[in-house]
Amino acid sequence: MELGLMTWPEVEARLTTGVCVMLPIGSTEQHGPMGLIGTDTICANRVSVAAAQICDCVVAPPIAYTPAPFNTGFPGTVSISSELLEQTVLQVCQGLLAQGFLGVFIVNGHGANLAPARSAASALPEGSVHIQSWWDPEPVARMREEFFGNWEGMHATPSEVAITQALHGCKPSGVAFNPPKKLSRAYIAAHSGDRHGPPDEHRRQFPDGRVGSHSNLATPDLGRELFTVASKALANDFDTFSAIRQKTL
């Protein structure tokens, strides 16, 4: 099920049946005072693996180094260029398709990945790559709104922190006990897709790393609920993509 934990004969056997593959993409960046550095990669990868257990597919190793230049003012963040991510996604997808996978279903966990991933997909055969953030499905969006409302914010969100709590245990909240600065609608619209400013300016504006996200609202129980719903929704969407690829090829 996880490509990195399979042998080549096992992969060959799966390919003969006609199968698509999931490709998780996350980041390595700060997620506030109580969020793990690997939050985006953990969420994208673990939701993918759980979904794969439902829909019986293969999950490629995650891409963990992606663009996060605005967060490099915080310790632990490692950022690469958008151009490098685009080429990485392009070549990884080309490699997976060349191996015989019918299509690549990208499971995203970091807003800044979307534009480079879409550019890469546009250079590949039409319909061969589908890109979807784990929080995209309507049941997940509805649950995030129900649990956290406007305090979901833009970065170090309580939903993603809750999932990592469910998977890896709780972290002390520290200064996250108090809510962060609330964001205006204009700010959210102007900075969607992680279009934030230079790292020093970003840290001055959001000194604890949270961008309108009240991480301390997260709990492991809420994380387990979100994880279950996200995994089921992702499996359903993957099955739809896989059925289309089966008919196309």
Side-chain angles (χ1 to χ4, degrees):
M1 188 169 299
E2 293 182 65
L3 185 61
L5 300 179
M6 298 171 71
T7 64
W8 74 258
E10 290 173 327
V11 176
E12 186 173 62
R14 291 304 309 273
L15 291 173
T16 59
T17 67
V19 65
C20 294
V21 60
M22 288 188 189
L23 174 61
I25 306 181
S27 72
T28 302
E29 60 172 342
Q30 70 86 14
H31 274 79
M34 61 182 292
L36 305 178
I37 296 293
T39 290
D40 289 344
T41 305
I42 292 167
C43 290
N45 187 53
R46 293 293 295 272
V47 169
S48 295
V49 171
Q53 294 172 343
I54 298 170
C55 60
D56 190 29
C57 76
V58 175
V59 180
I63 298 174
Y65 294 103
T66 61
F70 47 90
N71 271 327
T72 55
F74 294 89
T77 300
V78 179
S79 177
I80 67 172
S81 69
S82 295
E83 294 76 15
L84 180 54
L85 178 61
E86 179 179 340
Q87 282 301 308
T88 300
V89 172
L90 175 62
Q91 293 188 39
V92 170
C93 289
Q94 286 174 329
L96 292 167
L97 294 170
Q99 283 291 307
F101 288 102
L102 301 182
V104 182
F105 189 102
I106 291 176
V107 181
N108 177 55
H110 176 56
N113 297 341
L114 291 170
R118 287 167 181 158
S119 293
S122 69
L124 293 162
E126 185 176 359
S128 63
V129 176
H130 176 81
I131 303 167
Q132 181 172 310
S133 298
W134 66 262
W135 59 81
D136 280 343
E138 193 276 334
V140 184
R142 186 173 63 246
M143 182 171 281
R144 293 166 71 210
E145 172 65 25
E146 176 189 338
F147 286 166
F148 309 119
N150 291 335
W151 282 123
E152 178 72 350
M154 295 187 75
H155 183 70
T157 67
S159 61
E160 61 189 353
V161 170
I163 288 176
T164 61
Q165 287 178 338
L167 295 170
H168 292 285
C170 294
K171 287 283 181 179
S173 62
V175 296
F177 179 80
N178 296 314
K181 180 174 69 173
K182 189 164 284 189
L183 303 178
S184 67
R185 290 185 178 181
Y187 184 93
I188 294 171
H191 296 82
S192 63
D194 284 339
R195 298 193 303 271
H196 300 292
D200 291 345
E201 176 186 314
H202 185 68
R203 182 161 179 174
R204 280 195 301 272
Q205 190 171 9
F206 303 103
D208 71 4
R210 296 176 297 170
V211 183
S213 299
H214 195 358
S215 306
N216 202 56
L217 298 177
T219 69
D221 285 343
L222 295 179
R224 279 185 281 273
E225 290 189 56
L226 281 160
F227 184 80
T228 298
V229 170
S231 302
K232 290 178 179 177
L234 192 66
N236 289 335
D237 291 342
F238 179 87
D239 278 340
T240 299
F241 172 71
S242 182
I244 292 171
R245 295 303 295 164
Q246 292 275 1
K247 292 177 182 178
T248 302
L249 300 175

